[in-house]
Amino acid sequence: MCIVGARPNFMKMAPILRALAAHQPPLPALLVHTGQHYDASMSDQLFADLQLPRPDLNLEVGSGSHAVQTAEVMKRFEPAVDEHRPSCILVVGDVNSTLACTLVGVKKGVPVVHVEAGLRSYDRKMPEEINRVLTDQVADRLYTTERSAAANLQREGIAPERICFAGNVMIDSLLSHRESARVPAATLQAHGANPALLQRPQGYGVVTLHRPSNVDDADTLRALLQVLAEIAYQLPLVFALHPRTRANIERFGLNSLINAEHMAMLPPQGYLEMVGLMAGATVVLTDSGGLQEETTALGVPCLTLRENTERPITIEQGTNTLVGRDVQAIRDGVAQILAGQGKRGRVPEYWDGHAAERIAADLYAWLRAGAP
Ligand code: UD1
């Protein structure tokens, strides 16, 4: 049983399902969507873009507090496990659905496999960090995206035999869709934004923000919108708004801070639109984990508006720089990139488009050998 719940899971699962089907012999999979994300723009559109099959099961849990959401996934997933009796449960990433399904599986004695294991921000105020630590502690087979993850896991007492360095499945998706990405001007046009914004000599920047630490506090969100509005005068910005961020801009009365002349405010974008926007950007400003990795793979400079990252390879080898919520650091970061001094970086080991194939091969051997 392969589990997806929220937007960042979909691009990880698509290549895994393909690799399981292409494996000789094929490894049959049942796709379960928990329904954590349910808006067309957060879910259906991504399924279409990534050619994901329709889920075999949709648990339709929807939104709620962390406790409610996690508990609801567990309650609804347990009978599905009883009914389908999978030989293993495969979870990806670090969202609430990842942890919820892991807990159900291990308590029922079903082997659990975690793809994207061992990433650590060492910031336990992030809900995703709790999901990562707990999932890895109890999952049976742990596939990592970068070598530093194994050291993190071993520090937490996890035996090296449980860990397999497979590479980055999110980059499998990126590479297979790079050619079919949507042209940025068409994306802006489709939303009634002015495509001329993209034609300045300095190019354009792409912004996404959705972390509670950035968007749930009115003062923080105000300061970030102010600095972005200021940057937009030098570098036009395309902002893809997460539903949480859009709601908070309304709630805190911050609409007037948007520099409408130099910023395109778009709804959450499809995968092909987002890849097109990122690939053509001068810089990406984000608090997303996935975008930090995708910009590294694309060689596009990324300024991460967080104090830490669980993906250190994007800083050490890639194009990523942490600027936190420090408005001066954000300004300086953009100025440096506009001066042609942005990080170029290199593509990390095993971010080569074949991670899912390595996972399928290992998973087959592991299950044949009797799993845990
Ligand atoms: C979740 C993940 C986060 C991931 C992000 C990508 C957790 C703890 N967090 O955060 O790691 O980076 O997805 O988006 O699992 N909402 C909608 N429509 C939807 C889904 C959500 O309007 O389809 C709104 C609801 O108001 C909801 C809020 O967004 O309450 C937050 O959704 P939730 O699933 O709780 O977390 P995300 O912030 O999306």
Side-chain angles (χ1 to χ4, degrees):
M1 283 177 114
C2 292
I3 315 299
V4 292
R7 184 170 62 178
N9 295 161
F10 306 140
M11 42 297 253
K12 294 169 194 167
M13 192 59 80
I16 294 173
L17 290 179
R18 266 196 291 276
L20 296 179
H23 187 269
Q24 284 310 321
L27 299 168
L30 212 65
L31 180 61
V32 180
H33 190 337
T34 66
Q36 176 173 344
H37 282 174
Y38 45 85
D39 278 359
S41 63
M42 300 290 284
S43 181
D44 302 355
Q45 180 66 49
L46 284 291
F47 266 71
D49 291 347
L50 294 157
Q51 293 147 307
L52 269 164
R54 180 188 282 275
D56 297 287
L57 278 174
N58 192 326
L59 306 179
E60 296 182 348
V61 295
S63 300
S65 68
H66 285 266
V68 166
Q69 193 172 59
T70 308
E72 206 55 53
V73 173
M74 291 180 71
K75 269 169 65 183
R76 296 181 190 202
F77 184 52
E78 184 171 47
V81 175
D82 288 336
E83 187 187 338
H84 295 283
R85 305 168 135 272
S87 49
C88 78
I89 292 169
L90 186 151
V91 296
V92 296
D94 55 15
V95 302
N96 287 343
S97 302
T98 308
L99 175 62
C101 294
T102 298
L103 285 174
V104 171
V106 290
K107 291 211 169 185
K108 297 188 86 67
V110 179
V112 174
V113 170
H114 184 207
V115 175
E116 201 190 85
L119 297 181
R120 295 290 180 269
S121 65
Y122 293 101
D123 174 4
R124 295 223 171 165
K125 289 199 289 293
M126 278 182 87
E128 294 82 359
E129 183 75 355
I130 307 295
N131 294 342
R132 290 180 202 118
V133 169
L134 297 179
T135 298
D136 288 340
Q137 196 51 238
V138 293
D140 299 287
R141 189 100 185 115
L142 302 171
Y143 293 108
T144 59
T145 54
E146 58 174 88
R147 289 197 184 270
S148 71
N152 295 337
L153 292 168
Q154 285 176 50
R155 263 196 296 279
E156 292 170 14
I158 290 165
E161 305 80 65
R162 281 165 60 194
I163 307 169
C164 172
F165 175 44
N168 196 329
V169 287
M170 179 170 268
I171 306 307
D172 291 4
S173 265
L174 180 73
L175 297 180
S176 56
H177 292 87
R178 177 75 185 81
E179 294 304 312
S180 48
R182 191 153 189 209
V183 177
T187 301
L188 264 67
Q189 235 153 5
H191 296 285
N194 181 6
L197 268 189
L198 307 171
Q199 269 129 39
R200 313 277 167 80
Q202 65 276 40
Y204 66 92
V206 170
V207 183
T208 80
L209 292 175
H210 73 282
R211 297 263 160 232
S213 55
N214 280 336
V215 306
D216 281 3
D217 173 69
D219 290 338
T220 305
L221 184 56
R222 180 180 302 110
L224 291 176
L225 288 176
Q226 272 164 344
V227 74
L228 292 172
E230 180 194 312
I231 288 167
Y233 285 108
Q234 310 148 44
L235 181 72
L237 297 177
V238 181
F239 200 146
L241 275 176
H242 186 281
R244 174 197 285 275
T245 311
R246 181 176 290 280
N248 287 346
I249 291 176
E250 291 287 334
R251 186 156 66 99
F252 303 142
L254 302 176
N255 267 314
S256 63
L257 292 178
I258 292 162
N259 181 346
E261 202 187 326
H262 301 282
M263 279 164 88
M265 305 300 279
L266 307 183
Q269 289 302 298
Y271 186 67
L272 301 176
E273 284 77 8
M274 210 55 215
V275 172
L277 284 168
M278 281 190 290
T282 304
V283 55
V284 173
L285 298 113
T286 191
D287 58 10
S288 149
L291 267 64
Q292 293 173 53
E293 294 184 341
E294 288 162 343
T295 46
T296 275
L298 291 167
V300 171
C302 179
L303 298 177
T304 295
L305 280 66
R306 281 176 47 190
E307 307 297 335
N308 49 55
T309 179
E310 60 286 338
R311 296 163 159 89
I313 205 165
T314 61
I315 298 192
E316 289 150 17
Q317 298 183 17
T319 57
N320 191 16
T321 307
L322 287 183
V323 287
R325 277 167 280 169
D326 176 344
V327 291
Q328 194 53 44
I330 297 170
R331 275 188 204 109
D332 292 347
V334 171
Q336 216 175 6
I337 291 162
L338 287 178
Q341 289 153 15
K343 281 171 89 168
R344 291 184 189 283
R346 63 184 148 97
V347 177
E349 184 184 7
Y350 278 6
W351 291 25
D352 58 356
H354 299 288
E357 290 159 37
R358 285 187 284 267
I359 288 172
D362 179 87
L363 188 59
Y364 176 71
W366 183 73
L367 288 170
R368 281 288 295 245

